[in-house]
Amino acid sequence: MRTPLASSPTDNPDGPPLILDQVSVSFNTSKGPARAVNDVSLTLAQGEILGLVGESGSGKSTLAFTVMGLLPDGARVDSGQIRVMGKDLYHLDPEVLRDFRWKGISMVFQSAMNALNPVLTVQDHIFDTLRSHDPNITDEKARQRMLELLDLVKIDARRARSFPHELSGGMKQRVVLAIAMVFNPPVLLMDEPTTALDVVVQRSILNQVREIQAERKMAILFISHDFSLVRSLAHRVAIMYAGRIVEITASLGKSDAHHPYTEGLMRAIPELSEDEVTISGIPGNPPDLLHLPTGCPFHPRCPVAFDRCRTEVPPMLQVQGNLVACHQYSRSGEESDHGLE
Amino acid sequence: MRFFLNRLGFLLISIWAALTVNFLIPRMMPGNPVDAILAHFQSEGAPLGPNALHALEQQFGVAHSSIWSQYLGYLQNLLHGQLGTSITYYPLTVTQVIERSLPWTLGLAGTATIISVLLGTFLGVYAAWHRGTRIDAGLTTVTMFTSAIPYFWIALILVYLFGFELHWFPQFHAFSTLPPGVAWWKFALDILYHAVLPGATIVISAIGGWLVGMRNNMIQTLGEDYVTFARARGVRNRRLMIAYAARNAILPNLTGFAMAIGFVVGGALLTEIVFSYPGIGMQLLTAVENEDYPLMQGIFLIIALAVLLANFFVEMVYGFLDPRARQGE
């Protein structure tokens, strides 16, 4: 077994801000355990935006909650290790973890609509966050920090007294973003931060994220099901399928060597500039997490699957600068352009 | 402020509607109190003369004028706090009878209701926070059981066990006859002593509903994203439990609380009867037994007013607790 991290158990705060090493998570269901995250290894470099793309149920959000140490009841980390700024989150004292969260790593939730407590104002939310980590902070200091944050996300300071239901969807998401930036954490998880918003608001929020990231240089794990959106934002994109990372690719890379699933995703993006729009879906459905296929989880839907795919889980391979978990790239002695165009 | 005026206007209109219905219903029923008294005297073998009849008609306001002028007179009397004369307690007025029994009911049922709401809500929060544990299962099961028992039966059992068999508590009445000049605190203790069993009856039968309601609401809010988000932000458990989960979970329960406070005045009817407690519920029973229409009408009016006022009060609290309600329609 490959153990590059276990060999260096000392906390190393100067290494990559976020490291996931062979992390597996499963949920207890009435029909047995369901693997939601399967042997995921990822490294987030300082100042990097890593996109994480996958369809619903592929384990993206579970992965984010795993990294935060906020898995719901009934879910557990079966194996692997998570290090944020060199700290192993799952071996921290609960009180240390409570304080470390948000200072070391924070998260923008998928549903900004529901992420704010309906009976508290914007100011209450920010003050709560500040006071939870520094009970002795003065009102004056807290207010000052709040004004900085509201300015950062371009929200009028008068909105501090507003309740969530008095804000638009975009404003709520900005407030959530401001709350995530309270302590300038080195790592920020964004779980579908723009999914519930219309494209105009989506664009302005993404621009804001870009600006803040350029200024503060935090590492961002950006989760989305929108492949083209992620490609325009992230430096690298990880593609998740049935709980596994099947490919990690440079978003602007010229490589054509992709996982067949990634190929399928790319074909599903309409190109507005073309005269004739031809999009095609991927036939079949995502697998049942209770009964994952043997071998490569994608093989039942894969147009280029062969015998080995049905029996053996493909390892991550370095292919033209990308990391791809597909057997077709390890078939030696055969033609290298099998069926891919 | 607009919210307040809005609700106040609604309150006034509801009160007017209640008064009007209260005026109309007895007039739609056949007979009148004077006929009842007449029949009473006749059956005793002492028929009344026309003069006496006229005097009684005057006294009970049996008018032969138009319904409209009766209505205006009724409203005018109400403004002066006059609800007519009680038949049962003649020559006491209805207002006097209610004045004497209302404090007992408010003291007993009011206190018991507030205790069961506070205790039930608190235990509900506790059970929800520790959901799935034995404490949760135990609390929920026991209170589901107690709230399923009819409350008059609980009252009977308590009287039998702790009053009749064990003599720990008095079996009935709100106070005992004490020698004159006894210290006020002795009297207060005596009242408290008499209130234990009927109060316990109300608390035992009501607490389950509050506990289970609060627990279920709170389990729902604990699953909300804003709770997870707050936990992620490092918000401490105590604040998470109170300001995030319980604060939102209590909102639906407030409506129930308004109803319960309103019904307090109606009295825990059967509890008061079992314990011969001199409250409004007991008076209502007496009024019904004696066809004492003025008293019944007065009591119904007080109950209606109590429900409306309690609702108004809780709406104000609701507006304070839930910023969304403040905007109103």
Side-chain angles (χ1 to χ4, degrees), chain B residues 108-110 112-113 116 151 154 158 197-207 268 271:
Chain B
L108 175 72
T113 302
S116 46
Y151 73 97
I154 298 180
L158 290 183
L197 286 188
T201 305
I202 299 173
V203 171
I204 290 172
S205 62
I207 195 169
T271 309

Side-chain angles (χ1 to χ4, degrees), chain A residues 46-266:
Chain A
Q46 208 147 15
E48 180 189 31
I49 305 182
L50 174 65
L52 181 62
V53 182
E55 55 201 289
S56 300
S58 61
K60 313 182 295 286
S61 293
T62 304
L63 188 66
F65 282 106
T66 308
V67 172
M68 290 298 288
L70 285 173
L71 282 173
D73 293 342
R76 59 166 195 280
V77 178
D78 297 320
S79 58
Q81 206 181 40
I82 297 160
R83 283 184 176 267
V84 181
M85 302 305 288
K87 284 189 186 0
D88 182 347
L89 282 194
Y90 282 80
H91 291 95
L92 284 183
D93 173 76
E95 180 56 25
V96 176
L97 175 64
R98 185 191 68 77
D99 192 46
F100 179 69
R101 257 189 229 137
W102 233 247
K103 280 185 170 167
I105 180 167
S106 72
M107 177 168 173
V108 172
F109 274 43
Q110 177 166 15
S111 46
M113 304 300 146
N114 305 321
L116 299 175
N117 185 344
V119 299
L120 295 183
T121 61
V122 171
Q123 173 171 324
D124 293 335
H125 279 92
I126 294 176
F127 278 29
D128 256 6
T129 315
L130 284 165
R131 292 229 161 84
S132 301
H133 297 270
D134 180 7
N136 301 320
I137 190 168
T138 61
D139 274 11
E140 192 42 49
K141 267 192 167 170
R143 186 178 314 280
Q144 214 173 334
R145 182 72 191 127
M146 178 186 75
L147 294 177
E148 283 167 27
L149 288 165
L150 292 181
D151 187 54
L152 181 73
V153 294
K154 298 192 174 62
I155 283 186
D156 195 314
R158 280 173 302 183
R159 284 291 180 185
R161 300 260 172 206
S162 295
F163 287 97
H165 71 276
E166 295 166 331
L167 304 173
S168 69
M171 284 168 102
K172 275 186 226 177
Q173 194 55 277
R174 277 168 216 264
V175 169
V176 170
L177 184 58
I179 294 172
M181 295 304 295
V182 163
F183 298 111
N184 279 325
V187 184
L188 177 61
L189 307 182
M190 304 190 85
D191 185 10
E192 308 236 15
T194 59
T195 301
L197 305 171
D198 68 68
V199 280
V200 179
V201 180
Q202 197 171 2
R203 193 189 165 92
S204 86
I205 294 219
L206 287 182
N207 284 337
Q208 215 147 41
V209 171
R210 264 191 212 104
E211 269 174 43
I212 295 172
Q213 201 269 341
E215 194 190 318
R216 305 286 163 97
K217 301 283 180 226
M218 71 279 196
I220 298 179
L221 181 66
F222 191 98
I223 298 170
S224 176
H225 63 259
D226 188 338
F227 190 50
S228 53
L229 181 144
V230 167
R231 264 210 303 193
S232 72
L233 181 79
H235 302 119
R236 288 187 301 155
V237 180
I239 288 115
M240 205 163 176
Y241 184 80
R244 286 180 184 275
I245 302 280
V246 295
E247 176 171 347
I248 300 177
T249 178
S251 59
L252 298 171
K254 295 182 195 81
S255 165
D256 283 333
H258 290 298
H259 191 279
Y261 178 61
T262 315
E263 297 278 337
L265 287 180
M266 286 171 161

Side-chain angles (χ1 to χ4, degrees), chain B residues 28-41:
Chain B
M28 287 196 271
M29 294 191 293
N32 64 47
V34 175
D35 289 344
I37 290 183
L38 215 57
H40 183 69
F41 277 95

Side-chain angles (χ1 to χ4, degrees), chain B residues 111-127 139 143 199-200 202-204 206-212 214-215 250 253 257:
Chain B
T111 314
T113 302
I114 288 171
I115 288 175
S116 46
V117 169
L118 290 181
L119 206 60
T121 304
F122 176 78
L123 289 176
V125 168
Y126 187 84
L139 276 175
T143 54
I202 299 173
V203 171
I204 290 172
I207 195 169
W210 298 108
L211 188 150
V212 171
M214 188 62 192
R215 174 188 175 271
I250 208 166
N253 263 15
F257 180 57

Side-chain angles (χ1 to χ4, degrees), chain A residues 263-280:
Chain A
E263 297 278 337
L265 287 180
M266 286 171 161
R267 272 196 301 272
I269 301 168
E271 289 286 342
L272 289 178
S273 53
E274 282 172 19
D275 291 338
E276 218 174 297
V277 181
T278 50
I279 57 166
S280 54

